[in-house]
Amino acid sequence: METRNEFKLGLALSGGGFRSALFHVGMLARLAELDLLRKVDVISSVSGGSIIAAYYYLKVKALLEKAPAEGQKPPGREAYIRIVAEIETDFLAAVQNNMMLRTFLDPVKNARMLATEFSNTERLAELLTEYFYQPIPQQKGTGAKQNRIPLKNIPIRPLAANLCPETRVPFLIINATSLNTGNLWQFTSVSVGEQQTEHARRDRDDPIGFLKKFRIDDDRLTIEQRKILYNITLGQAVAASCCVPGIFEPLQIRNLYKAGGKPLTVRLVDGGLVDNQGLASLFVENCTHIICSDASDILKPENHPSAQFLNVALRANDILMDRIRSKSLNELFKFDSKRHALFGQGDHATRNHIFPADSEKIVRALTRIRTDLDSFSDREADTLMYYGYQLSRRVMENNGFELARDSMPATRNWRFLAIRDRFLNNDERRKDLLHHLEVGSRQMFKVFLLKKAMPYVILLPIPVIITLLTLYLIIKISPMVFWGLLLCFALVLTYTQNQRILKLMDNVAVLRKIKHRILKTLISLRLPEPFSYIMALASWIQLTIFDRLFLRYGRVRKTSSESGSRRPQR
């Protein structure tokens, strides 16, 4: 095995929403057992991988900056196993708060998002901080307040008593994509900006060129640049990395750069557009050994692809993303087989060893689970963690990754391993689990596809109430007045929400000023327009009723014969 100074270990966590993040948790569990987490020098993450990467990074920060008890040894393998054990339950609890729906739960925030000063990506950054990062105990303080953890405050400053020759301090790289240039954009604790890679070469005549990387502590920065960099938060970095085009608005960084003597607005989106595995940054860092956890989407064959315009566009995008993935992995495969390890959901060679029966169907269901940021049930999460753990275990055993060669794996009875005895080894329960996983591929109305009566029972009174309310209003205020008011409401709603009308208003300076002034006045008075309340009400109903039902039906229950600690109720 190589000495301490002869290797540099990089860990790449791919994109893929919460699906990938939960898969990565299982992988982290195995690396903790192998005592490899302590040896990681660089963590590079994309999209959903960035959510768990930042979460794990803050856990390590808290561990290495905490003053040890008198006579206590530096944190070793067991300390990192405990970190992942905490993540196993706490991270899932945060996931089940449903970031997607909570984005639209506050009518005042909705009104701000309808204005141009605040985007749903900024809102996501606040929620990620509130539900994932702020609850982690921070030593020495990260300035975490009002849902903000400044990026400049997250470097790990370990106490000497917490370090030993085998322990390294990880460096976190959160990857996004610059819409301005199409280049890889990096957020780190010490710098912000574009990173040139082997796959990104720019001509000298490019009018914009590379947006150079700024060190946050650079004394040559102007006061305005320093203020901008100091205000960038960890939540914003992760949200930018997760910013799927068409779903989330680009994260904007204004006035940090100039083009042609004029201030430039940088717009950042999902890092997966350049590299969805996070490998490019590890190549730049000259890592000698790389572990890649790849839970990204895999191109599925279609015997009869749709000819509809939208479906063709989506299919074309999938093909392009698959080509980007192949290019990144080909660079990884240039490493010696003992110097890299790849854990991919599409691995066919090991699935029969991981799942005792129906392995093909289960793996297919797992690779088709949605990649958004809504709630994941216990069954979905535990199966993804189980797959990530067992897959990484098999790969490590088979390819002989040399940094793990001298490790004596410490095993732990991880909570997610119970999925095997409760479901996978029982034919009837396995079929029930498989159906639940297959339903998990749907973006909406999942609970109605679980073959349960309760969602329909709850939904049934709604049309009855609407009908009775309509009849009451018609009788009470006369049909002509009722239909007139309804028509006026529909026209106002159409006018205020029609995208073409809104675009026209934004293009006319006078109308734009009037629109912004009205919105700011309403926001200051906490009187958002009606559509904001409609969005909030719909999100609240879905979150408190149907989302909770989906999580309830997806619980993993303990039987009376099973021992061990009971998972706390959320």
Side-chain angles (χ1 to χ4, degrees):
M1 181 169 166
E2 301 188 11
T3 63
R4 174 176 171 80
N5 295 323
E6 291 179 340
F7 74 86
K8 186 175 184 179
L9 177 59
L11 175 62
L13 302 181
S14 78
F18 281 149
R19 182 188 74 184
S20 66
L22 294 166
F23 178 86
H24 297 328
V25 171
M27 177 276 306
L28 291 174
R30 185 54 182 168
L31 294 190
E33 290 180 346
L34 292 171
D35 201 23
L36 284 175
L37 287 184
R38 284 199 300 155
K39 300 175 183 177
V40 172
D41 294 280
V42 185
I43 303 174
S44 174
S45 61
V46 184
S47 193
S50 294
I51 301 176
I52 184 63
Y55 193 89
Y56 167 74
Y57 177 86
L58 291 180
K59 284 281 191 180
V60 175
K61 176 179 172 67
L63 173 69
L64 297 182
E65 292 183 352
K66 181 180 180 180
E70 186 176 354
Q72 182 178 348
K73 293 182 180 180
R77 185 201 320 243
E78 287 302 319
Y80 284 79
I81 288 178
R82 284 195 298 271
I83 283 179
V84 180
E86 293 171 1
I87 292 174
E88 180 189 18
T89 54
D90 297 346
F91 186 82
L92 175 58
V95 166
Q96 293 183 340
N97 282 298
N98 199 322
M99 298 300 101
M100 185 65 72
L101 285 178
R102 287 188 184 277
T103 302
F104 306 102
L105 196 59
D106 187 332
V108 177
K109 299 284 187 180
N110 291 344
R112 290 186 62 194
M113 285 188 282
L114 292 172
T116 57
E117 63 181 47
F118 189 70
S119 67
N120 56 0
T121 305
E122 292 282 359
R123 178 61 178 148
L124 176 63
E126 292 180 349
L127 293 170
L128 289 172
T129 305
E130 178 181 355
Y131 287 95
F132 286 87
Y133 307 136
Q134 274 188 333
I136 299 175
Q138 296 298 304
Q139 307 302 322
K140 297 184 180 180
T142 56
K145 58 183 180 179
Q146 297 181 346
N147 297 339
R148 295 179 66 83
I149 299 178
L151 201 62
K152 69 181 180 66
N153 289 350
I154 69 167
I156 299 176
R157 299 179 175 87
L159 298 178
N162 287 330
L163 295 179
C164 61
E166 292 78 21
T167 301
R168 301 192 175 190
V169 180
F171 180 66
L172 177 64
I173 302 175
I174 298 174
N175 298 285
T177 301
S178 168
L179 282 182
N180 302 66
T181 64
N183 294 326
L184 178 69
W185 178 281
Q186 293 181 342
F187 292 97
T188 76
S189 59
V190 298
S191 63
V192 168
E194 291 186 353
Q195 174 63 57
Q196 187 167 2
T197 67
E198 291 296 322
H199 309 305
R201 300 294 185 188
R202 284 311 215 173
D203 296 332
R204 294 180 180 178
D205 296 333
D206 192 320
I208 297 179
F210 261 84
L211 301 177
K212 70 175 184 177
K213 189 178 294 184
F214 286 106
R215 284 191 62 88
I216 298 176
D217 60 356
D218 193 341
D219 294 334
R220 295 168 295 179
L221 295 173
T222 66
I223 295 177
E224 183 180 11
Q225 287 175 324
R226 189 174 291 113
K227 182 178 179 181
I228 293 169
L229 292 174
Y230 283 7
N231 284 326
I232 295 176
T233 68
L234 176 63
Q236 288 175 324
V238 174
S241 184
C242 298
C243 182
V244 179
I247 298 178
F248 291 99
E249 299 174 46
L251 182 81
Q252 300 185 39
I253 301 178
R254 297 182 177 89
N255 304 326
L256 184 60
Y257 300 91
K258 288 186 177 181
K262 297 181 179 180
L264 180 71
T265 297
V266 179
R267 289 180 169 86
L268 304 173
V269 294
D270 195 320
L273 297 183
V274 174
D275 171 29
N276 202 33
Q277 282 61 53
L279 289 169
S281 293
L282 298 184
F283 299 149
V284 172
E285 290 291 321
N286 296 316
C287 292
T288 61
H289 296 70
I290 292 178
I291 297 174
C292 177
S293 182
D294 182 16
S296 59
D297 268 342
I298 300 168
L299 187 68
K300 291 94 176 174
E302 292 189 5
N303 294 330
H304 305 286
S306 172
Q308 295 181 357
F309 175 79
L310 180 59
N311 291 334
V312 171
L314 292 174
R315 182 64 175 174
N317 180 72
D318 291 342
I319 294 172
L320 289 173
M321 293 298 294
D322 184 69
R323 293 298 172 264
I324 294 172
R325 177 178 182 269
S326 298
K327 196 167 187 177
S328 295
L329 294 183
N330 286 338
E331 291 295 320
L332 177 65
F333 295 150
K334 292 179 181 179
F335 282 64
D336 185 282
S337 60
K338 295 180 179 180
R339 290 174 177 258
H340 80 270
L342 172 65
F343 316 135
Q345 286 194 102
D347 191 303
H348 297 283
T350 59
R351 66 187 181 192
N352 292 333
H353 298 284
I354 296 174
F355 299 106
D358 295 323
S359 61
E360 183 177 355
K361 294 180 180 179
I362 293 175
V363 171
R364 183 171 64 246
L366 289 175
T367 59
R368 292 178 182 270
I369 285 181
R370 63 204 178 281
T371 57
D372 57 17
L373 302 180
D374 75 347
S375 296
F376 275 63
S377 67
D378 289 1
R379 294 186 187 185
E380 293 174 309
D382 286 359
T383 309
L384 284 166
M385 293 181 195
Y386 176 82
Y387 188 28
Y389 173 83
Q390 295 290 10
L391 183 59
S392 55
R393 182 175 183 173
R394 290 282 177 179
V395 171
M396 283 298 193
E397 290 175 353
N398 294 336
N399 80 341
F401 188 70
E402 63 183 4
L403 296 184
R405 197 162 50 198
D406 298 334
S407 298
M408 296 294 292
T411 58
R412 177 185 173 87
N413 187 25
W414 302 100
R415 180 189 55 79
F416 58 75
L417 292 179
I419 201 79
R420 175 180 52 205
D421 297 328
R422 294 178 200 166
F423 291 95
L424 298 179
N425 292 333
N426 181 290
D427 290 341
E428 183 177 353
R429 289 186 178 182
R430 186 176 62 254
K431 291 179 180 178
D432 185 47
L433 173 65
L434 180 58
H435 175 66
H436 191 90
L437 296 177
E438 290 172 340
V439 169
S441 66
R442 302 294 292 267
Q443 301 292 334
M444 300 176 65
F445 310 117
K446 295 183 290 295
V447 71
F448 294 97
L449 303 175
L450 290 178
K451 300 177 181 179
K452 306 290 184 180
M454 184 60 70
Y456 294 95
V457 172
I458 293 173
L459 195 63
L460 184 61
I462 295 178
V464 176
I465 293 172
I466 293 175
T467 302
L468 292 175
L469 181 61
T470 302
L471 291 174
Y472 173 78
L473 291 174
I474 290 175
I475 295 171
K476 196 75 175 177
I477 63 176
S478 84
M480 184 174 294
V481 175
F482 170 77
W483 292 113
L485 290 173
L486 186 63
L487 179 61
C488 289
F489 176 77
L491 289 175
V492 170
L493 193 62
T494 301
Y495 178 79
T496 57
Q497 303 307 320
N498 186 281
Q499 293 300 315
R500 291 185 179 180
I501 295 175
L502 292 175
K503 187 175 180 180
L504 175 63
M505 293 179 69
D506 285 334
N507 290 334
V508 180
V510 176
L511 295 178
R512 183 171 64 248
K513 289 180 180 179
I514 294 173
K515 172 192 169 186
H516 291 171
R517 187 168 298 174
I518 293 173
L519 284 172
K520 287 181 178 179
T521 302
L522 290 173
I523 293 169
S524 64
L525 296 174
R526 301 185 68 84
L527 294 172
E529 58 179 291
F531 189 67
S532 300
Y533 285 106
I534 295 173
M535 292 169 60
L537 178 61
S539 298
W540 181 84
I541 292 173
Q542 174 65 19
L543 185 65
T544 57
I545 299 177
F546 299 111
D547 192 60
R548 292 297 106 184
L549 270 179
F550 179 72
L551 295 179
R552 179 183 176 184
Y553 293 142
R555 284 178 184 168
V556 176
R557 305 177 187 276
K558 278 185 175 294
T559 63
S560 58
S561 62
E562 292 173 329
S563 59
S565 59
R566 180 176 294 275
R567 185 181 176 188
Q569 293 295 319
R570 288 181 294 276

